[in-house]
Amino acid sequence: MVSEHAVTSAAQVLVASNRGPVSYALRADGSIGARRGGGGLVSGLSAVEDKLWVCAALGDGDRAAVRHGIAEPGVRMLDIDADVHADAYNGIANSVLWFVHHMLYQTPLDPVFDAEFRRQWASFETYNLAFAQALAEEAGEGAAVLVQDYHLALVPGMLRELRPDLRIGHFSHTPWAPVDYFRLLPDDIAEQLLRGMLGADRAGFLTRRWADAFIGCCTEILGGTGRTRIGVHGLGADADFLRRRAHEADVDERMAVLREQVGGTGRKTIVRVDRTELSKNIVRGLLAYRELLNTRPQWRERVVHVAFAYPSRQDLTVYREYTAEVQRLADDINSAYGTPDWTPVLLHVNDDFARSLGAYRLADVALVNPIRDGMNLVAKEVPVVSDAGCALVLSREAGAYEELGADAIVVNPYDVSATAAALHEALTMPDGERAERSKRLAAAATALPPQQWFLEQLDALRQG
């Protein structure tokens, strides 16, 4: 049965996400330029050629492209009102749902669910409905629709009402909050979110832990998950792409510059590559490094912390303040411990993928210590790319811990002293052990590469 929304095309595989595979920018001469995106989702979806990707216009360039009829084949970009999108994306998705699932609230002060929250929630509903309606219009009879992430948690239920003939999947790329924390949300909102996701035939998660937390919330609040099946698909690194890309000329150039900046014969490197996202725990990582230098002075002038902290969500005050604190702490460490021939922290804040790959190759130790993370692909990518093998210091709160924990040095992300001790253990790991662990980490990290990850979900959805 098809609703009153007419089927205008016969797409049999559809994907919905806030951000699409292409973005547009307005040039100085008034023309519109396109730029292709990257990442695990874009790589994974390349496994299916005949698909339609529905996404939101995220900026003025995107909106101009939509209004001028500029579009990539296989992509439908939605020109949702900019104020509605801002409320839905920054007001709800990034300032509420992200904070709940990553357990980031300072609860004596936040959250506050008041009239302003309700106004923004109405925008979140409007934003999700725009996606549901577009998918309903574009999907062929019985098509498979794969909805991505917390931004679009209401879409499966809305789409089910419009097109009950469709096979609908939802995949969460974040952690899922345990029920006691999830219930910080107003009762009706918590129920609406769960029912929205249970509109899907299948709900997917990156780890069993997050899937079990979702089931726990559904059981406690709704009495169960109904007819929705729950799946676990741990997104892996794309080994072939990473190894090829990491040995191109621009990466070699960045490596040469980094080696010069590290300086000193035989100096070791502790590498981290993150966005300045609150959940990434960059500040405690710097505090742990400072404690390492303070309590184990033998490492002074013998190690450099190469920290790439690429700004994220700078339109939110709390993120700007966090980014500033990262910079302040790095400067403090350099001021307290640095010498004319040694800069203890090399902090880079300008996003540069080739430089990140160069740092991966140089890494003796990779520090991945998030407060909470759905997966964390950096933990998987560094062992794949590292030239001599690296020791991985890994938070037990990263989704990647389930697959990589056996060969990593595992830390409680809040325990700065234990993280400092773990960095020392990693730095003193014998070369042979480090190489063997790194080899096993790389094998585990690439077990489900992006294309296979996507195809497994699609097959499971179609099988019913």
Side-chain angles (χ1 to χ4, degrees), residues 117-413:
F117 164 77
R118 294 287 173 171
R119 186 193 67 75
Q120 292 182 325
W121 183 259
S123 292
F124 187 72
E125 293 172 322
T126 299
Y127 165 78
N128 275 251
L129 184 58
F131 273 85
Q133 290 173 335
L135 292 165
E137 291 165 5
E138 299 285 357
E141 184 73 23
V145 180
L146 293 106
V147 181
Q148 304 297 313
D149 231 354
Y150 59 104
H151 315 89
L152 303 178
L154 303 181
V155 168
M158 293 172 167
L159 184 57
R160 177 68 61 207
E161 290 291 318
L162 297 171
R163 292 288 304 276
D165 61 297
L166 300 178
R167 303 294 300 171
I168 303 170
H170 184 279
F171 194 88
S172 294
H173 294 264
T174 65
W176 192 270
V179 63
D180 288 348
Y181 205 90
F182 186 73
R183 297 202 81 163
L184 288 176
L185 291 167
D187 291 351
D188 61 318
I189 300 299
E191 182 173 337
Q192 188 180 354
L193 277 168
L194 295 176
R195 291 197 186 281
M197 287 178 60
L198 293 179
D201 296 286
R202 200 168 187 277
F205 297 87
L206 287 165
T207 72
R208 172 49 54 188
R209 181 182 178 186
W210 312 142
D212 287 346
F214 175 74
I215 293 168
C217 288
C218 291
T219 301
E220 178 78 16
I221 295 169
L222 303 178
T225 57
R227 292 180 294 179
T228 302
R229 290 175 295 112
I230 309 299
V232 175
H233 303 274
L235 175 62
D238 188 340
D240 293 340
F241 165 75
L242 287 169
R243 287 175 178 140
R244 181 179 69 252
R245 181 68 182 89
H247 288 85
E248 292 181 1
D250 59 340
V251 177
D252 290 335
E253 292 168 7
R254 305 300 198 281
M255 279 183 70
V257 173
L258 285 171
R259 280 199 184 98
E260 186 175 341
Q261 291 174 337
V262 169
T265 303
R267 269 185 192 153
K268 291 185 177 290
T269 57
I270 300 170
V271 169
R272 78 172 306 137
V273 178
D274 284 305
R275 292 174 295 110
T276 50
E277 160 55 51
L278 306 183
S279 64
K280 298 300 183 182
N281 209 23
I282 301 169
V283 167
R284 288 191 189 89
L286 287 167
L287 292 173
Y289 179 64
R290 183 173 71 183
E291 185 162 324
L292 173 76
L293 298 179
N294 186 46
T295 60
R296 300 182 188 271
Q298 68 267 33
W299 286 114
R300 297 177 193 176
E301 299 198 70
R302 291 182 54 214
V303 65
V304 172
H305 187 13
V306 180
F308 295 167
Y310 301 140
S312 174
R313 300 176 184 171
Q314 293 298 291
D315 43 357
L316 297 177
T317 301
V318 66
Y319 282 83
R320 292 196 299 273
E321 292 173 346
Y322 187 76
T323 302
E325 177 62 13
V326 169
Q327 182 70 64
R328 185 198 66 77
L329 187 52
D331 291 343
D332 283 355
I333 294 170
N334 286 336
S335 176
Y337 296 98
T339 68
D341 298 319
W342 173 56
T343 303
V345 180
L346 287 178
L347 178 66
H348 287 280
V349 297
N350 297 317
D351 197 348
D352 185 331
F353 184 56
R355 187 176 58 205
S356 296
L357 290 175
Y360 286 0
R361 287 181 58 187
L362 287 175
D364 295 296
V365 177
L367 175 58
V368 181
N369 67 320
I371 292 168
R372 200 166 160 85
D373 215 336
M375 177 54 70
N376 195 296
L377 282 178
V378 171
K380 294 187 169 186
E381 291 169 352
V382 182
V384 172
V385 173
S386 175
D387 282 354
C390 71
L392 175 63
V393 176
L394 179 65
S395 167
R396 68 190 185 195
E397 298 302 315
Y401 163 72
E402 286 195 11
E403 296 164 77
L404 307 183
D407 285 296
I409 301 170
V410 178
V411 295
N412 171 349

